[in-house]
Amino acid sequence: MIENKIGVISCSGEECLGGTISRLAVRKMMEELKPGMVSTLCLPLFIAGDGGEREFAEKYPTIAVDGCSKCCAKRAIEKYSNAVAGSVDVAEIIGEAKALEKPLSTRNLTDEHMEYVKQAADKTSQIFDEIVAKSV
């Protein structure tokens, strides 16, 4: 079993649906798809200069899960630590216009929204599996 040596950073944008989808996708991956196998990193702490967050991304493969085409998580990893090991742009999955819609409370998410979460989590999990396969 992989022991928390692959990191995932989700979008911290709370002004659009894509950010909500990205955070829920990372949570789904951590709780359902790859429990105990990944470490989540906090994008605001990472950008603010937290040494532990940046050091982890320097030493270990890290996947960015961004909510829109601004790709803030990916850009931050590459600027402050290392090249990303993989990247998911939710806007490429659900469309830019949909990703930029107003965010919803998790209480108001529809089956359609949860399907977006599943698709983003599945893509993140696929990247995770590719990283693991390369390291074997």
Side-chain angles (χ1 to χ4, degrees):
M1 179 176 186
I2 305 299
E3 293 187 28
N4 296 324
K5 298 301 182 195
I6 296 176
V8 181
I9 298 181
S10 69
C11 171
S12 64
E14 295 186 6
E15 69 280 347
C16 68
L17 179 62
T20 303
I21 299 298
S22 72
R23 287 186 298 283
L24 290 173
V26 168
R27 185 172 178 182
K28 180 177 184 69
M29 187 181 159
M30 294 182 65
E31 293 178 356
E32 297 175 27
L33 301 177
K34 305 291 181 189
M37 299 173 72
V38 296
S39 292
T40 185
L41 304 174
C42 175
L43 183 58
L45 284 177
F46 190 91
I47 291 171
D50 183 273
E53 304 287 303
R54 289 184 181 183
E55 184 179 327
F56 185 96
E58 247 176 64
K59 289 183 176 181
Y60 303 107
T62 303
I63 303 167
V65 183
D66 283 296
C68 71
S69 60
K70 291 179 186 175
C71 294
C72 298
K74 179 181 178 182
R75 290 186 7 231
I77 294 166
E78 292 181 338
K79 180 175 182 177
Y80 297 116
S81 287
N82 211 340
V84 294
S87 176
V88 175
D89 178 354
V90 170
E92 289 179 4
I93 296 170
I94 69 174
E96 189 73 23
K98 179 68 77 178
L100 294 176
E101 287 180 3
K102 290 183 180 180
L104 297 172
S105 164
T106 54
R107 292 184 302 269
N108 298 325
L109 294 175
T110 65
D111 289 343
E112 178 183 22
H113 296 120
M114 294 312 293
E115 178 58 27
Y116 298 153
V117 170
K118 180 186 179 314
Q119 290 174 22
D122 287 348
K123 181 158 182 159
T124 307
S125 185
Q126 177 186 354
I127 292 169
F128 176 96
D129 290 342
E130 291 168 2
I131 293 167
V132 170
K134 287 178 189 175
S135 67
V136 174

